[in-house]
Amino acid sequence: MSIWWSLHLRCEAASVPLARRLLLGAMETAGVDPDISFDLSLALSEACANAVEHGGASGAADAYRVTAYLDGERCRIEVADSGPGFPAVRGRAAHAHSTHAENGRGLCLIEELADHVDFENRPDRGGAVVSFDKILKWKKDAPLMAV
């Protein structure tokens, strides 16, 4: 069995915990192992915070989208915004920075918490997409456990 949900959120700090709580609730209901749920919710919080900080293009009406898929043994999360996008080069080496830097740790943290991460720009509509996935572990007798 699989489930998915999508949110359209304003680029406001208050939207970050909303997305995190929704993901945690869905994973708890599905029976995902709490450690996996925590890792994914922390990665989601970082991706949403990045969208809130960098994803707005025209003021208070700016929004970003969060989509989560729990499908079989994997969870995939995408956070898409309408900001300027990522610099031309991405990846671990591209955003390595000083430990004293004020910004930039969130993307590194997402890479550490997830099994696979993509940072992409949307040339057709503008903005950036952070997508990441992780193999799920399930509690015993989980209602949505992959068969």
Side-chain angles (χ1 to χ4, degrees):
M1 177 183 281
S2 63
I3 60 173
W4 69 272
W5 53 262
S6 185
L7 297 171
H8 187 79
L9 300 164
R10 286 182 179 227
C11 286
E12 297 174 355
S15 68
V16 177
L18 174 65
R20 181 181 177 128
R21 283 192 298 266
L22 183 60
L23 178 68
L24 284 169
M27 296 187 125
E28 172 66 25
T29 300
V32 174
D33 178 82
D35 291 336
I36 299 295
S37 297
F38 178 79
D39 286 354
L40 284 168
S41 70
L42 183 54
L44 173 62
S45 294
E46 293 298 332
C48 290
N50 191 68
V52 167
E53 184 174 351
H54 304 289
S58 62
D62 291 335
Y64 66 101
R65 188 188 76 242
V66 176
T67 307
Y69 308 89
L70 278 77
D71 190 20
E73 295 182 2
R74 184 168 297 276
C75 177
R76 180 166 184 83
I77 298 172
E78 297 176 359
V79 178
D81 65 49
S82 59
F86 291 110
V89 179
R90 282 295 342 140
R92 204 176 287 274
H95 56 81
H97 57 83
S98 165
T99 56
H100 302 292
E102 292 292 322
N103 296 324
R105 293 185 193 105
L107 299 179
C108 292
L109 185 57
I110 294 168
E111 287 182 321
E112 292 299 321
L113 293 168
D115 293 330
H116 182 262
V117 181
D118 284 319
F119 303 106
E120 299 176 17
N121 290 326
R122 299 188 305 182
D124 56 334
R125 293 185 277 168
V129 179
V130 176
S131 57
F132 52 95
D133 57 62
K134 190 166 183 79
I135 295 173
L136 297 174
K137 293 179 186 172
W138 300 90
K139 296 180 198 172
K140 185 177 180 174
D141 300 324
L144 296 181
M145 183 169 45
V147 183

